[in-house]
Amino acid sequence: MRKKLVILSGAGVSAESGVATFRDADGLWEGHDVMEVATPEGFRKNPALVLEFYNQRRRQLFEVHPNEAHQIIAELEKDFDVTVVTQNVDDLHERAGSSNIIHLHGELLKARCTINEQAIIDWKEEITLGQLHPQTGKQLRPHIVWFGEAVPAIIEAAEAVDQADIIVVIGTSMQVYPAAGLVDYAKPDAKIYYIDPRPATIPNMQHRVEVLAMGGSEGMRTLRDKLLQ
């Protein structure tokens, strides 16, 4: 039986592809306070601003491509039972060839009804005010989990981590909850690797984690060699 490998990926994986990581050093998202563009309250206050913010993110997706880290993660499916749990809302893992992906924070290339959160549809175009869901007839919004909203996929992600033989944390500092709590579900004998050029301390895990202080692509090359030895 193939070993179960779970990848916990964040913005740092996609940064090498040129995807903006949203948050600046001063905490602003593209010049906006997070409360303006990534909360239900911000959407109610200024829906046009929020829609355009995510329209810009969506447009950028069509200009970037998966990098080597994405590709190596996909290639590991040849030898392992791989689940990717990502905080990213881009589709670069899919485009690289990964087949089992859990998106914790939603997906830029999907939209949903503002009233019925289960009414999710594929959507590659811009979303504008007055653009209605084809089935419900209500305003569309990005299929993004905003601050203050529930993270439905966290249960499926926790189950995947709980079953993993190997866990790889890459491109995320694992400091923001609920995603940060996922490593707590790791089995006592699970091997944990942490790839980051400026690694933070993963709470309660210092004694169990092998740190590869590298960028995503270099780190995945090194890790691939370790895992396949």
Side-chain angles (χ1 to χ4, degrees):
M1 182 179 294
R2 297 193 303 170
K3 288 187 175 181
K4 292 184 180 295
L5 170 61
V6 170
I7 305 285
L8 301 177
S9 79
V13 176
S14 295
E16 280 187 43
S17 292
V19 176
T21 55
F22 286 31
R23 193 174 305 201
D24 303 322
D26 56 8
L28 296 179
W29 285 27
E30 302 287 313
H32 299 288
D33 184 280
V34 64
M35 299 302 289
E36 294 179 342
V37 295
T39 64
E41 295 78 14
F43 186 65
R44 285 193 291 269
K45 179 180 178 182
N46 193 342
L49 172 68
V50 175
L51 292 177
E52 178 54 25
F53 179 83
Y54 289 98
N55 286 339
Q56 290 175 8
R57 311 279 79 72
R58 198 177 299 105
R59 284 195 292 267
Q60 186 194 31
L61 262 193
F62 299 113
E63 301 172 356
V64 299
H65 304 280
N67 60 57
E68 188 179 6
H70 294 111
Q71 292 163 351
I72 293 173
I73 289 168
E75 289 166 4
L76 285 172
E77 291 190 10
K78 298 174 187 172
D79 298 282
F80 298 92
D81 180 357
V82 180
T83 300
V84 177
V85 178
T86 185
Q87 298 174 56
N88 299 338
V89 295
D90 61 56
D91 66 337
L92 296 180
H93 281 300
E94 285 90 342
R95 283 157 59 186
S98 288
S99 61
N100 187 14
I101 304 164
I102 300 170
H103 281 273
L104 289 177
H105 296 156
E107 300 176 62
L108 271 176
L109 297 184
K110 291 186 178 178
R112 72 178 193 243
C113 174
T114 49
I115 305 301
N116 180 1
E117 63 183 36
Q118 301 302 318
I120 303 164
I121 56 176
D122 293 330
W123 195 268
K124 294 184 178 181
E125 311 299 323
E126 299 198 354
I127 302 176
T128 57
L129 273 182
Q131 200 146 35
L132 307 181
H133 191 288
Q135 279 80 50
T136 69
K138 302 298 183 182
Q139 172 67 46
L140 279 176
R141 57 160 278 184
H143 178 48
I144 301 293
V145 176
W146 288 327
F147 289 96
E149 293 185 321
V151 184
I154 199 71
I155 297 173
E156 183 184 4
E159 290 173 350
V161 173
D162 176 65
Q163 298 170 14
D165 302 299
I166 305 164
I167 298 163
V168 180
V169 179
I170 178 169
T172 171
S173 60
M174 298 299 288
Q175 305 295 310
V176 178
Y177 285 85
L182 286 173
V183 288
D184 296 335
Y185 291 91
K187 295 185 295 188
D189 60 345
K191 183 64 180 176
I192 304 175
Y193 297 93
Y194 178 25
I195 299 172
D196 197 287
R198 293 178 296 279
T201 298
I202 299 180
N204 307 319
M205 290 283 163
Q206 298 92 317
H207 64 292
R208 296 185 54 187
V209 178
E210 181 173 339
V211 177
L212 302 176
M214 308 170 182
S217 292
E218 181 186 5
M220 284 307 304
R221 284 196 300 271
T222 301
L223 180 61
R224 176 185 57 196
D225 294 343
K226 282 177 173 286
L227 295 178
L228 296 180
Q229 278 177 354

